[in-house]
Amino acid sequence: MLPHRKLPIIFVTNDDGIHAPGLKKLTAIMREYGHVVVVAPDKPQSGTGHSITMNTPLRLDKIASEEGYDAYSCNGTPVDCVKLGFKIVLKGHPDILVSGINHGSNASVNIIYSGTMAAVLEGSMSNVPSIGFSFNNFSHDSDLAVCDITIRNIVKDVLENGIPEGVCLNVNIPDVQESKLKGIKVCRQAGGTWQEDFDERIDPGGRKYFWLKGLFVKIGHGPDTDVWALENNYVSVVPVHFDLTAEKVIPVLKKRLGNVE
């Protein structure tokens, strides 16, 4: 049962799945600030980006309901979770959306592939203040305690002051002890690319199959970037928007393509 609007409604999701330690940690912190509604994938959905489910029925299973807290698992992607959460569960918009805590960095170009950040972008498309939290350690057994202070500070600020319309936040937290954390650095997304390859294998039936593998290569990771911030024990906060227009190229193409007004 959702409360009246005296308490903020906090929507929580992720891409690591409903049972991920990062989601449990984020949910516990969010319960300090309002009524928490979780809608998260029933299995890991890392790397799904902004995909949505079109050809398979979507299902919601309520797994918890108590004072100040409701939780659902969904058989879809993180973006499916947001769409169903807003339209079916809440029948409206929350006061804030938080996604994570992702196990692994979403700095640089990784945001393109991230289901964690896809959910955040989806929230911002509905003008909901939305934040993605990622921890620079891929192990589900990692100690997430260093994330607490960052999450509390940023969520408190956003609840009080909001985020400009159409903008969301990509927050990445370094894997260091809290005593070594230098603070928060608001910065830009670093350049980067993946040098990818495939392991080719043979299944018991004699058919080929492939496993994607790759190495991340940094490009242009100066001191104003998220990659530099993480490497130097800062929390990186990158403001992100879903408008992909390359504004500075418009005048160039107008000249080249003979734009007629």
Side-chain angles (χ1 to χ4, degrees), residues 16 48 127 146:
D16 288 315
T48 54
N127 296 325
V146 71

Side-chain angles (χ1 to χ4, degrees), residues 201-209:
R201 305 178 186 180
I202 305 296
D203 69 18
R207 298 179 60 192
K208 291 181 181 179
Y209 69 98

Side-chain angles (χ1 to χ4, degrees), residues 114-135:
S114 168
T116 299
M117 284 306 299
V120 173
L121 284 160
E122 184 68 24
S124 70
M125 289 168 66
S126 295
N127 296 325
V128 173
S130 301
I131 315 166
F133 293 102
S134 300
F135 181 55

Side-chain angles (χ1 to χ4, degrees), residues 26 32 34 40 42 44 79 138 142 157 165-167 195 212 235 252:
L26 184 58
E32 301 171 12
D42 60 3
V79 173
F138 286 92
S142 58
D157 176 81
E165 188 172 312
V167 175
Q195 290 183 348
L212 177 66
V235 173
V252 176

Side-chain angles (χ1 to χ4, degrees), residues 185-190 220-229 238:
K185 192 173 183 65
V186 179
C187 49
R188 67 176 177 87
Q189 176 182 316
H221 58 291
D224 61 340
T225 67
D226 51 6
V227 169
W228 185 94
V238 178

